[in-house]
Amino acid sequence: MFKLENIRNFSIVAHINHGKSTLADRLIQMTGGLPEREMMAQVLDSMDIERERGITIKAQTVRLEYRAKDGQLYVLNLIDTPGHVDFAYEVSRSLAACEGSLLVVDASQGVEAQTLANVYHALDAGHEIVPVLNKIDLPASEPDRIKQQIEDVIGLDASDALLISAKSGLGVDEVLEAIVHRLPPPKGSASEPTKALLVDSWYDAYLGVVVLVRVIDGALKKSQKILMMGTDAHYEIDRIGVFRPKMADVEELGPGEIGFITAQIKEVADTRVGDTITDEKRSCAAALPGFKPAQQVVFCGLFPVDAADFNDLRAAMGKLRLNDASFSYETETSAALGFGFRCGFLGLLHLEIVEERLRREFNLDLIATAPSVIYRVVLRSGEVMTLHNPVDMPDPSRIERIEEPWIRATILTPDDYLGAVLKLCQERRGEQVDLNYVGARAMAIYDLPLNEVVFDFYDRLKSISRGYASFDYTITDYREGDLVKMSILVNGEPVDALSMLVHRDRAETRGRGMAEKLKELIPPHLFQIPIQAAIGGKIIARETVRALRKDVTAKCYGGDATRKRKLLEKQKAGKKRMRQFGKVEIPQEAFIAALKMDS
């Protein structure tokens, strides 16, 4: 067990692509965490999907041992966190297990929206923060200007910020010294009853449930009988260890240390993130405050293409839920799609990632319905109901008003694109709160309805600003909105997977866009297919998929014209009958493609 004053628990926070995972690689390399031949780029990004997209999705932990210049041996527990707004929950959880943070800022791009958001998370967690300017070897880097920007925007003293290049390793030895000398050691007592924070848990095919813990007081030992205070579940620890970054067994974890335990935990629900772990007989007096549960903001239905896969999908979701505490699901049925699940996500990227993981890791073919946010419907009777799925909307005559969630968005953009960004926010029913300048860039703060943001706002923002604008948001409140339910009818049949709540002023535009998109996506059948967008009984847009033309007169050589007419009449009658009873197959990609409206 290490002395408390020789332990440092720290996190790396930054905006996307500012170099968190690369800096983590250099720290692992310089402290000898992995042999040279096993080193690779983004060594902590273990999922294939993280490597392909170049983003961190799951926060990862690693324990390093570093002998400082003063000759002392220190234990460094590093948590590498995601940068994307959808995974802010992962960030806040990881920060609760640490005492300090390295704030990494790109020396050429400067402070971005997620930099601000993550710094505020770290300050809320009471962290000591060390600013680090990365990529100083780039020709476009301006360290002095960025230092000034950190002081102006965040209010942190950046005079002694470290100048490094995580890619080449320049200045990284100073980062190690700063971690040891500028970040505080953890507090805790070995003589107190065991108290540990459950930081994360995931499913391992060989070990079962693996639990990441941060010990506050006392110690966790092998064969110790423990109690989870939140769920009142009792277990015996059968394996205890740390990540170096590979799993390595240890005898015990003392105060201030971060590691993992396995205890033959079978039930996913027993390892609630933020729970307090204590000794079964000598338990601690009070539980730790834990974390606020993750707030899902986007809901969508996931259905198996083949109804026989429903039980496989349920099992896959159970395993995924264990790896991702911020994802929720419940069963639902749809007239068009059969049995499936209504799932809650932290944002559209989170939805995409979960869907991709279900396809890859569990070989499932899925159909996703239109994403929607949670609405509050106030009925005339005074009852308030939450609406996750537009299909469940009560009769309009019973509704007093509908309220929708609003967010406060912070957008940082170069001056050249400010006009286009403001126009986009106005189009999405945004209300400007503030507009000021951070160095050469504009910072616009807007109140926006979440409904307008979840579809493709981020994609549009990136395209109009050529990738230079950055965006972050927090949910603020619910406001009354003039919202209507828009249904999509294909061949006269409502497709409940595509129905959505939209603002009345935008319903016609959205309906027309949706109908035009579906016209391109639905392949022609042997009969004409009308595609309509409707509000109640009123059709607001229509497109028609033309029928495949089969030449039935091809075999008529000469003879009377009535022969041809008779064949054409027969074809016409057949098409009419087909249209009455024919089934229209909507391809799976049409569902998601139809939602990316404004591209």
Side-chain angles (χ1 to χ4, degrees), residues 278-477:
T278 185
D279 191 81
E280 190 179 67
K281 294 194 172 64
R282 187 173 172 240
S283 56
C284 58
L288 293 159
F291 307 121
K292 279 188 284 193
Q295 281 288 309
Q296 282 92 17
V297 295
V298 178
F299 283 81
C300 100
L302 288 179
F303 295 84
V305 171
D306 181 354
D309 290 341
F310 176 73
N311 286 331
D312 294 345
L313 178 59
R314 179 191 302 222
M317 285 196 169
K319 286 178 183 171
L320 206 60
R321 169 89 176 93
L322 180 58
N323 286 358
D324 188 348
S326 49
F327 153 67
S328 67
Y329 64 93
E330 57 188 40
T331 50
E332 76 163 354
T333 54
S334 149
L337 302 168
F339 288 98
F341 294 92
R342 189 90 195 147
C343 307
F345 305 93
L346 301 180
L348 271 196
L349 178 70
H350 189 207
L351 184 158
E352 261 181 67
I353 298 288
V354 167
E355 204 183 331
E356 183 85 6
R357 286 184 68 187
L358 286 168
R359 286 184 210 284
R360 280 190 193 192
E361 295 172 26
F362 304 98
N363 295 324
L364 292 164
D365 280 338
L366 301 171
I367 291 175
T369 64
S372 69
V373 298
I374 308 175
Y375 298 94
R376 276 194 204 144
V377 180
V378 182
L379 303 176
R380 292 189 191 281
S381 61
E383 187 191 338
V384 180
M385 60 179 282
T386 53
L387 188 69
H388 291 192
N389 190 346
V391 175
D392 303 331
M393 181 136 155
D395 189 290
S397 61
R398 293 174 52 211
I399 296 173
E400 175 78 33
R401 65 179 187 275
I402 302 175
E403 296 176 347
E404 59 180 334
W406 279 62
I407 62 166
R408 173 137 312 167
T410 306
I411 301 168
L412 281 144
T413 175
D415 209 11
D416 307 359
Y417 310 111
L418 181 61
V421 169
L422 298 184
K423 185 170 175 245
L424 174 67
C425 293
Q426 294 304 132
E427 280 171 6
R428 299 299 173 95
R429 301 190 281 130
E431 295 173 6
Q432 191 173 312
V433 177
D434 192 12
L435 178 63
N436 52 42
Y437 278 82
V438 176
R441 286 185 313 163
M443 183 162 85
I445 297 177
Y446 262 85
D447 281 347
L448 285 154
L450 183 61
N451 180 16
E452 302 286 352
V453 173
V454 295
F455 283 101
D456 56 355
F457 182 84
Y458 194 62
D459 295 346
R460 294 274 295 130
L461 181 69
K462 284 291 180 196
S463 67
I464 60 176
S465 67
R466 301 194 183 169
Y468 284 107
S470 63
F471 167 70
D472 181 62
Y473 66 84
T474 51
I475 293 180
T476 51
D477 57 356

Side-chain angles (χ1 to χ4, degrees), residues 31-228:
T31 54
L34 277 176
E36 264 323 305
R37 61 193 166 79
E38 289 181 25
M39 276 306 294
M40 57 182 173
Q42 275 80 41
V43 74
L44 293 181
D45 290 347
S46 52
M47 280 190 264
D48 291 344
I49 197 161
E50 289 180 313
R51 298 190 154 280
E52 280 167 29
R53 288 177 178 242
I55 57 173
T56 302
I57 294 167
K58 285 292 288 177
Q60 298 288 348
T61 311
V62 60
R63 170 173 168 149
L64 307 169
E65 290 182 7
Y66 171 64
R67 191 164 293 283
K69 289 176 182 169
D70 60 10
Q72 297 249 30
L73 184 65
Y74 291 89
V75 166
L76 314 180
N77 289 309
L78 149 69
I79 299 185
D80 179 27
T81 58
H84 198 281
V85 62
D86 282 16
F87 305 113
Y89 182 64
E90 283 279 327
V91 178
S92 61
R93 260 189 358 209
S94 307
L95 296 178
C98 306
E99 286 77 37
S101 290
L102 298 181
L103 168 66
V104 177
V105 181
D106 186 322
S108 57
Q109 291 181 344
V111 174
E112 300 277 4
Q114 272 307 114
T115 316
L116 281 174
N118 289 342
V119 165
Y120 293 144
H121 278 311
L123 291 170
D124 289 345
H127 278 206
E128 184 68 41
I129 294 173
V130 174
V132 177
L133 300 191
N134 190 19
K135 309 189 187 181
I136 58 153
D137 51 348
L138 291 181
S141 76
E142 302 172 81
D144 294 335
R145 182 178 70 80
I146 305 302
K147 278 184 186 178
Q148 192 57 48
Q149 199 180 49
I150 291 172
E151 291 183 0
D152 295 346
V153 181
I154 303 172
L156 278 178
D157 176 20
S159 55
D160 52 357
L162 304 170
L163 305 181
I164 69 158
S165 164
K167 201 167 188 181
S168 66
L170 176 71
V172 177
D173 48 347
E174 289 173 29
V175 175
L176 286 163
E177 285 296 310
I179 291 166
V180 166
H181 297 299
R182 287 167 63 178
L183 296 183
K187 294 183 174 73
S189 161
S191 57
E192 293 283 313
T194 303
K195 185 194 277 188
L197 174 69
L198 198 159
V199 181
D200 201 357
S201 61
W202 61 92
Y203 185 81
D204 184 286
Y206 302 105
L207 303 171
V209 180
V210 181
V211 178
L212 184 69
V213 293
R214 153 73 205 265
V215 182
I216 311 290
D217 291 321
L220 288 173
K221 300 177 180 142
K222 212 170 172 179
S223 306
Q224 181 180 0
K225 290 190 166 57
I226 54 165
L227 162 72
M228 306 261 189

Side-chain angles (χ1 to χ4, degrees), residues 507-508 510-513 515 531-534 538-543:
E508 197 176 318
R510 196 146 222 168
R512 191 170 291 132
I531 299 166
Q532 297 158 311
K538 184 184 171 193
I539 303 295
I540 54 170
R542 171 178 169 137
E543 291 289 336

